[in-house]
Amino acid sequence: MTSHDGTLRVLSTSDLSGIDISLADVVETVEGAYRTLHAGRSDNPRKLTVKPEDGHSVSYAMLGRDGTRDVVAVKTSYKHGLDKSRDQQHYYTTLTLYDDVTGLPVAMMDCSRVGSLRTPAVSALIARECARPGARSALVIGTGTQGRLALPFLLTTLPGLERLMVFGTHTEGIATVRDQLRAHFPDRDVEIVTDVRAAASDADVIVATAGAHTPAAVDSAWLKPGALSVLVGHGLAPSTLHRADRVIATSEAQMHVTGTDMADAEGELPAVDAEFPPVLAGLTAGRHHAEERIFAYNSGLVVTDIALGHRFAQLAIARNLGTEVALWK
């Protein structure tokens, strides 16, 4: 499924948008990437970051290797306009895959759909492993790219959830959250909440995906015993991290790169009690007891992008999607 020598298959946003993939398939692919990483068969170096002094943009570069798929990949991410409203921001992300057996390129793709699926799938896996037994209520903060599929993925790994809540400030985003939930779970609906404190105090699972301008800032004092708080973007106050009974991170190193807004007055972040790969592998407990308040930092690992991107490339190439570009000729 590699490109010919000297050419590169480019998969655009529209190429990938028409590919059907189930939530369960995404969860299985992402979980497999974590397990392979924990087994020592994949490589996930620390990401590189560039950010100007005024903070108007941020750029990341990530390199990794998937030991199960024998694929090497480079992901780039660039976001501009962080000082502006969401509709004025620009975001571009790409993933370039190489077959480490043949030595040939597989594809270069827009990575936005991969990221929009991978991140909520990871949050859902964290919830499966770290939510209190019998968790019944979930609150999603934010209705952007990462918030729109958060509830469908949570229901995929925690089908016992009964009360589903969302807080958002964008009417279009709230409508999309509702549409996405009904598309995957036609018999379920979401409760739109305006009182974040009341909603958070009732939630067994909170997934904060909002942008930097969100008015939401859930404080640790609002959380019920046993609550799990998962931070993807914004929406949680630093106290949820610093006063947590247990701290889990997908990567402690990445948390120290991208989680600086959660630092205390001295600019410090607390130690992580466990990283998520060994939790998923069953070697470390996600939770010790039902009353534990847990904070989880979901920064995403490039090996999950590689696995899911490769899965999309397989599906796309099987349908002969994409454009062959003679990049090296």
Side-chain angles (χ1 to χ4, degrees):
M1 57 171 283
T2 57
S3 299
H4 298 297
D5 193 16
T7 66
L8 177 66
R9 183 183 294 263
V10 177
L11 297 170
S12 67
T13 303
S14 57
D15 289 328
L16 299 175
S17 65
I19 296 176
D20 289 328
I21 186 169
S22 70
L23 302 185
D25 190 344
V26 174
V27 169
E28 181 181 358
T29 300
V30 170
E31 182 172 1
Y34 270 105
R35 291 185 181 276
T36 303
L37 177 64
H38 179 71
R41 293 159 52 202
S42 293
D43 296 297
N44 194 101
R46 183 171 177 170
K47 67 172 66 174
L48 299 176
T49 308
V50 173
K51 191 171 185 178
E53 288 186 6
D54 64 4
H56 75 268
S57 70
V58 64
S59 308
Y60 299 109
M62 292 148 276
L63 169 69
R65 185 181 189 280
D66 186 309
T68 296
R69 296 170 179 267
D70 285 320
V71 171
V72 172
V74 179
K75 178 183 177 182
T76 64
S77 176
Y78 171 66
K79 193 165 189 176
H80 182 276
L82 297 179
D83 54 339
K84 298 180 174 62
S85 62
R86 186 164 67 182
D87 60 351
Q88 294 180 293
Q89 294 178 359
H90 299 280
Y91 178 60
Y92 306 99
T93 178
T94 64
L95 181 70
T96 307
L97 301 154
Y98 301 90
D99 188 315
D100 203 29
V101 175
T102 66
L104 297 175
V106 176
M108 178 180 182
M109 66 181 66
D110 167 31
C111 198
S112 57
R113 190 176 180 205
V114 171
S116 70
L117 293 170
R118 173 266 285 162
T119 304
V122 173
S123 294
L125 284 168
I126 292 172
R128 189 189 74 187
E129 300 297 323
C130 300
R132 65 178 299 164
R136 290 291 179 266
S137 56
L139 167 65
V140 172
I141 299 173
T143 61
T145 300
Q146 301 304 334
R148 295 176 181 184
L149 280 170
L151 289 173
F153 272 107
L154 283 174
L155 284 173
T156 301
T157 60
L158 290 178
L161 290 173
E162 296 172 353
R163 187 182 184 194
L164 307 175
M165 299 172 282
V166 66
F167 171 83
T169 57
H170 297 273
T171 303
E172 180 183 343
I174 291 172
T176 303
V177 167
R178 175 167 275 143
D179 290 343
Q180 289 286 347
L181 178 60
R182 288 177 174 169
H184 293 281
F185 294 90
D187 60 333
R188 302 301 301 270
D189 199 1
V190 60
E191 177 184 344
I192 311 303
V193 300
T194 56
D195 188 336
V196 178
R197 179 169 186 163
S201 67
D202 186 62
D204 294 310
V205 179
I206 300 172
V207 181
T209 73
H213 300 295
T214 181
V218 172
D219 189 84
S220 65
W222 305 353
L223 302 177
K224 64 195 292 188
L228 166 67
S229 302
V230 182
L231 184 63
V232 176
H234 300 270
L236 300 179
S239 61
T240 57
L241 165 61
H242 293 274
R243 297 176 189 168
D245 297 312
R246 187 162 174 77
V247 177
I248 307 290
T250 48
S251 165
E252 185 170 18
Q254 287 195 13
M255 178 173 157
H256 282 273
V257 172
T258 59
T260 53
D261 58 318
M262 296 294 282
D264 62 16
E266 286 71 44
E268 299 294 326
L269 292 171
V272 168
D273 294 298
E275 291 192 318
F276 188 55
V279 171
L280 193 57
L283 298 181
T284 303
R287 160 182 299 275
H288 289 129
H289 57 79
E291 302 298 294
E292 216 171 16
R293 290 185 180 91
I294 296 177
F295 175 94
Y297 191 81
N298 177 4
S299 59
L301 301 181
V302 73
V303 289
T304 59
D305 293 288
I306 294 171
L308 191 54
H310 188 257
R311 180 75 179 115
F312 268 106
Q314 290 175 315
L315 296 171
I317 292 171
R319 294 176 53 182
N320 198 31
L321 297 174
T323 303
E324 291 284 351
V325 178
L327 187 62
W328 296 290
K329 287 187 177 180

